[in-house]
Amino acid sequence: MGCAGTLYAGNPLYPFGYGLTYTTFVYSDLQIEGGGLSACEVEEGAQVCMSFTVTNNGGCFGEETAQVYLHDMVSSTVNLEKELAGFAKIALQPGDFHVMVGDNAANVLLTGRFTIC
């Protein structure tokens, strides 16, 4: 006999932040600046800056919530495997291009279209 609301051990069906969309996104070009700071410099306000590129490479408009997680690898206390450090919701159109082919600039003989990642 089953029981409604039973909790199961293990991984959840969907991870935190998971969402459904009609398009796909590509993450690339992670840049990290300001590493090698001392604890004193951080306490005085020094920052580590990160940037990356998110591209809509699908055929539809979409909104994506990019999430940044951190894990302290040398903490003297027990800490989480990963901790959400920041996020930003962005709206992106896919990149569409119109192609025109002709024997000169004024005489377009063929046209087409493509989307780039």
Side-chain angles (χ1 to χ4, degrees):
M1 176 187 259
C3 179
T6 302
L7 297 177
Y8 296 98
N11 292 329
L13 183 58
Y14 297 104
F16 173 77
Y18 181 88
L20 299 174
T21 183
Y22 291 105
T23 192
T24 55
F25 298 93
V26 173
Y27 287 68
S28 61
D29 304 322
L30 176 62
Q31 303 290 321
I32 302 171
E33 297 177 8
L37 297 171
S38 70
C40 291
E41 290 171 311
V42 172
E43 288 175 2
E44 292 172 0
Q47 298 179 354
V48 174
C49 297
M50 292 168 257
S51 66
F52 51 90
T53 301
V54 180
T55 304
N56 179 345
N57 73 333
C60 298
F61 167 82
E63 294 184 344
E64 176 76 335
T65 302
Q67 303 168 29
V68 175
Y69 292 88
L70 297 177
H71 172 72
D72 185 344
M73 296 170 37
V74 293
S75 176
S76 59
T77 61
V78 176
N79 57 12
L80 300 172
E81 181 180 329
K82 60 179 104 155
E83 181 177 348
L84 183 63
F87 63 92
K89 182 141 189 140
I90 51 177
L92 299 170
Q93 294 285 352
D96 287 333
F97 289 85
H98 183 212
V99 178
M100 295 157 282
V101 178
D103 56 5
N104 64 62
N107 189 28
V108 175
L109 303 170
L110 302 170
T111 62
R113 179 180 178 160
F114 69 92
T115 301
I116 128 174
C117 303

